[in-house]
Amino acid sequence: MDSEEIIFKLNELNKTSSQLNTQEPERLEMIKSVTDYANQFIAGLDSVKAFNDKEADSLEITNQKRSLNALLELYQKEVAETGINAASGKHLGYIPGGGVFTAALADFIAAITNPYASVHYASPGAATIENEVVNWLKTLFSFPNNSVGCLSSGGSISTLIAFTAARDKHKVKNESIRKNVVYLSEQVHHSTQKALRIIGLEDVIIRYVSIDINHRIKTDSLEELIEKDISAGLQPFLVVATAGTTDTGAIDPLSEIGTIAKNHNMWFHVDAAYGGFFIMTSKKALFKGIEKADSMIIDPHKGLFLPYGVGAVLIKDSTAVLHSNYYTANYMQDGASEEMLKSPANISPELTKHFRGLRVWLPLQIHGIEPFIACLEEKLLLVNYFRNRLAELGFCLGPEPDLSVSYFWYPFETDSDKKNRQLMDEIHADGAVFLSSSIIDNRFVIRIAILAFRTKKEIIDEALAMIQNCLKKVKLD
Ligand SMILES: Cc1ncc(COP(=O)(O)O)c(C=O)c1O
């Protein structure tokens, strides 16, 4: 093709391709539509159900253009109104979500400006924001200055990064995998076992350490297992503790576990994905010893009430992290002179990634830290209030939790598990407030997980009224 033909063709293509470069009048109109939609959605949160047991429909991609307003209508019906409403304060199941508004603005700005946050050379500002969030976390958990960390998409990926560093530091390689031992409690989040499988450690020996009535690891039992394994010629390599178990809200005795790990030259990992930010509250003492961890994970999309998609991992041994994640290539030579640790890409498997630091940094700058702490304290009190009221209504309760997750069941005279399951079904069918269930100590239980920033006393009262109503139905059945 000669130049003239190319220019002709480019002009032709531009008539269509330039449609992607939305112009200001249309941008203003679209922003207004989205703002109106967001305001309507937020205003409606108090009056809509937390759970709709409904399938999503009509979301296929066709080549037919649709207007933003039509799509927002579709989104409301097929996305916002199906399943769990995770932005709602009435979400009291699993680990509730968040959705602080200022974090959404940060995402908008990050998407518009699209800086390359993974490589310091490519965006010193964005990489610095990512690193400043990590530095803030290091201070919060008394991790030393020379530890490293990065922001991930969530707890599961953070665990992968931490365990990969542990594996590489301890040189757990093909021939030795079957001799290496990992110590967990049955209360670890399943992303722990999943991570071991994904990073090629499926064949390590996993020991489940006994737990006490509060669902915390028994350290004498941990010590015993380790000694026994050493005597049998095995290699204790990793111990995983949890600061805020998903099912029971318990914090393992971190300091003692840290000491045991150190004495046996093991990697000590703490999963603080759900519970970590409670270190800023009146529960601080329970986190004593977390600073002994070789690695820890924490999820701002849980305890900082941010929208889904931001976790963090902190790791003390930067050499192990770099061993797993630092690579370079000819096409990256312009960035190669930068100090390695300034670039998030060297701490994480991700190269190009969402600039997620901004959605943590901006809300902390705008609101300051106090409202986050107040919100966490509120959740601790609300779980107490919920438990007190449930006890008055004749429910049995799990042990007093360390944090804001607990569980209960109704002591039906016969078929207790079956009837509590029925009660759960009634609660889901009602949907006004969402709760989820679990099996704890071989018993079917209903969980209370209070973490959404919009959960207030009125919502707990609504949950209690709904539970009473549902209980009546089960009793009549
Ligand atoms: C204690 C704990 N660890 C890890 C995870 C996994 O985090 P994510 O869902 O962000 O991958 C969860 C999720 O709820 C959790 O509660």
Side-chain angles (χ1 to χ4, degrees):
M1 234 190 274
D2 63 25
S3 297
E4 220 168 284
E5 273 177 293
I6 292 176
I7 290 168
F8 175 78
K9 187 87 180 136
L10 283 173
N11 284 334
E12 282 301 297
L13 285 171
N14 187 49
K15 288 177 193 157
T16 311
S17 67
S18 62
Q19 289 170 20
L20 291 183
N21 200 6
T22 312
Q23 295 301 298
E24 185 167 344
E26 212 186 337
R27 286 204 302 268
L28 289 174
E29 214 174 283
M30 286 178 157
I31 287 173
K32 182 167 180 342
S33 296
V34 172
T35 309
D36 288 349
Y37 171 74
N39 284 336
Q40 235 172 41
F41 175 81
I42 293 169
L45 279 174
D46 282 347
S47 50
V48 300
K49 286 182 166 201
F51 182 58
N52 279 301
D53 187 9
K54 212 169 84 183
E55 277 305 314
D57 203 3
S58 316
L59 295 170
E60 70 279 7
I61 297 172
T62 65
N63 207 14
Q64 211 136 50
K65 290 187 189 183
R66 301 197 240 186
S67 73
L68 176 59
N69 285 333
L71 289 166
L72 287 171
E73 240 174 75
L74 181 72
Y75 184 90
Q76 175 62 22
K77 198 157 152 273
E78 303 300 339
V79 180
E81 291 173 8
T82 57
I84 302 167
N85 189 338
S88 160
K90 299 179 186 183
H91 178 11
L92 309 178
Y94 306 109
I95 296 295
V100 164
F101 182 74
T102 46
L105 296 182
D107 275 358
F108 182 69
I109 296 164
I112 294 286
T113 55
N114 205 22
Y116 202 79
S118 327
V119 176
H120 186 266
Y121 157 80
S123 180
T128 301
I129 284 188
E130 297 265 318
N131 293 335
E132 281 305 321
V133 173
V134 169
N135 287 340
W136 177 69
L137 292 171
K138 287 197 300 202
T139 308
L140 202 55
F141 291 97
S142 307
F143 264 51
N145 277 344
N146 64 354
S147 52
V148 295
C150 72
L151 301 180
S152 68
S153 60
S156 304
I157 300 300
S158 296
T159 306
L160 281 182
I161 298 171
F163 285 6
T164 305
R167 178 197 67 190
D168 294 350
K169 161 94 175 175
H170 284 261
K171 301 194 171 32
V172 183
K173 301 237 172 159
N174 298 348
E175 60 284 2
S176 70
I177 288 176
R178 285 171 200 275
K179 284 189 120 192
N180 273 277
V181 194
V182 178
Y183 302 83
L184 321 165
S185 98
E186 66 180 33
Q187 286 298 328
V188 291
H189 190 265
H190 71 269
S191 53
T192 304
Q193 292 96 329
K194 185 170 157 179
L196 289 171
R197 212 190 296 161
I198 293 173
I199 65 166
L201 299 185
E202 183 171 8
D203 292 332
V204 289
I205 301 163
I206 295 184
R207 300 271 184 245
Y208 286 89
V209 186
S210 316
I211 49 177
D212 63 19
I213 51 161
N214 291 305
H215 308 286
R216 302 180 193 128
I217 282 180
K218 281 175 150 173
T219 46
D220 49 353
S221 157
L222 171 64
E223 185 94 57
E224 230 169 79
L225 284 171
I226 294 173
E227 297 292 351
K228 216 161 132 195
D229 285 336
I230 293 172
S231 305
L234 300 174
Q235 284 159 11
F237 131 70
L238 168 68
V239 54
V240 181
T242 308
T245 54
T246 313
D247 252 358
T248 54
I251 301 184
D252 288 322
L254 303 176
S255 192
E256 288 171 60
I257 297 173
T259 303
I260 294 171
K262 188 159 192 270
N263 290 344
H264 295 285
N265 191 28
M266 296 167 71
W267 186 283
F268 174 36
H269 173 78
V270 178
D271 178 347
Y274 146 64
F277 286 108
F278 284 98
I279 198 173
M280 302 189 292
T281 70
S282 48
K283 297 283 184 171
K284 185 176 169 71
L286 295 176
F287 290 85
K288 194 166 171 296
I290 199 163
E291 71 287 349
K292 296 182 182 176
D294 293 290
S295 59
M296 62 163 288
I297 64 163
I298 176 151
D299 277 351
H301 70 191
K302 295 186 175 73
L304 273 193
F305 320 111
L306 302 184
Y308 292 139
V310 59
V313 55
L314 303 180
I315 302 174
K316 282 197 185 136
D317 191 318
S318 58
T319 311
V321 180
L322 287 172
H323 174 84
S324 325
N325 296 293
Y326 175 69
Y327 271 88
T328 192
N330 291 343
Y331 52 81
M332 288 175 68
Q333 63 179 3
D334 296 337
S337 64
E338 293 297 327
E339 286 169 64
M340 289 176 212
L341 297 176
K342 281 188 179 170
S343 290
N346 292 333
I347 317 292
S348 148
E350 288 183 283
L351 178 54
T352 307
K353 64 169 194 138
H354 174 57
F355 174 27
R356 45 180 85 94
L358 193 64
R359 58 188 357 238
V360 187
W361 186 87
L362 195 83
L364 287 174
Q365 301 279 2
I366 291 179
H367 303 293
I369 196 65
E370 282 77 17
F372 291 94
I373 301 173
C375 226
L376 290 164
E377 291 285 8
E378 213 173 60
K379 307 310 149 206
L380 294 168
L381 286 178
L382 285 175
V383 82
N384 272 345
Y385 175 75
F386 202 157
R387 283 169 52 89
N388 289 347
R389 295 291 317 281
L390 281 168
E392 284 159 23
L393 295 173
F395 283 89
C396 294
L397 298 166
E400 196 176 317
D402 290 328
L403 300 175
S404 67
V405 174
S406 184
Y407 59 92
F408 65 94
W409 68 96
Y410 193 79
F412 294 102
E413 271 165 25
T414 55
D415 295 331
S416 179
D417 271 11
K418 188 169 154 231
K419 287 186 180 152
N420 276 292
R421 205 179 281 271
Q422 243 174 297
L423 176 60
M424 183 80 270
D425 290 343
E426 289 292 347
I427 291 171
H428 284 165
D430 183 296
V433 171
F434 182 76
L435 295 154
S436 59
S437 68
S438 190
I439 307 285
I440 298 177
D441 296 335
N442 295 320
R443 180 194 298 285
F444 183 94
V445 298
I446 301 176
R447 289 173 68 255
I448 311 165
I450 305 186
L451 195 68
F453 71 108
R454 293 188 169 106
T455 303
K456 302 285 167 180
K457 178 186 161 291
E458 294 69 29
I459 287 176
I460 304 302
D461 288 334
E462 189 178 343
L464 287 158
M466 179 190 77
I467 292 168
Q468 266 178 291
N469 234 339
C470 294
L471 180 63
K472 260 188 225 155
K473 286 188 192 162
V474 178
K475 280 183 173 171
L476 283 176
D477 212 30

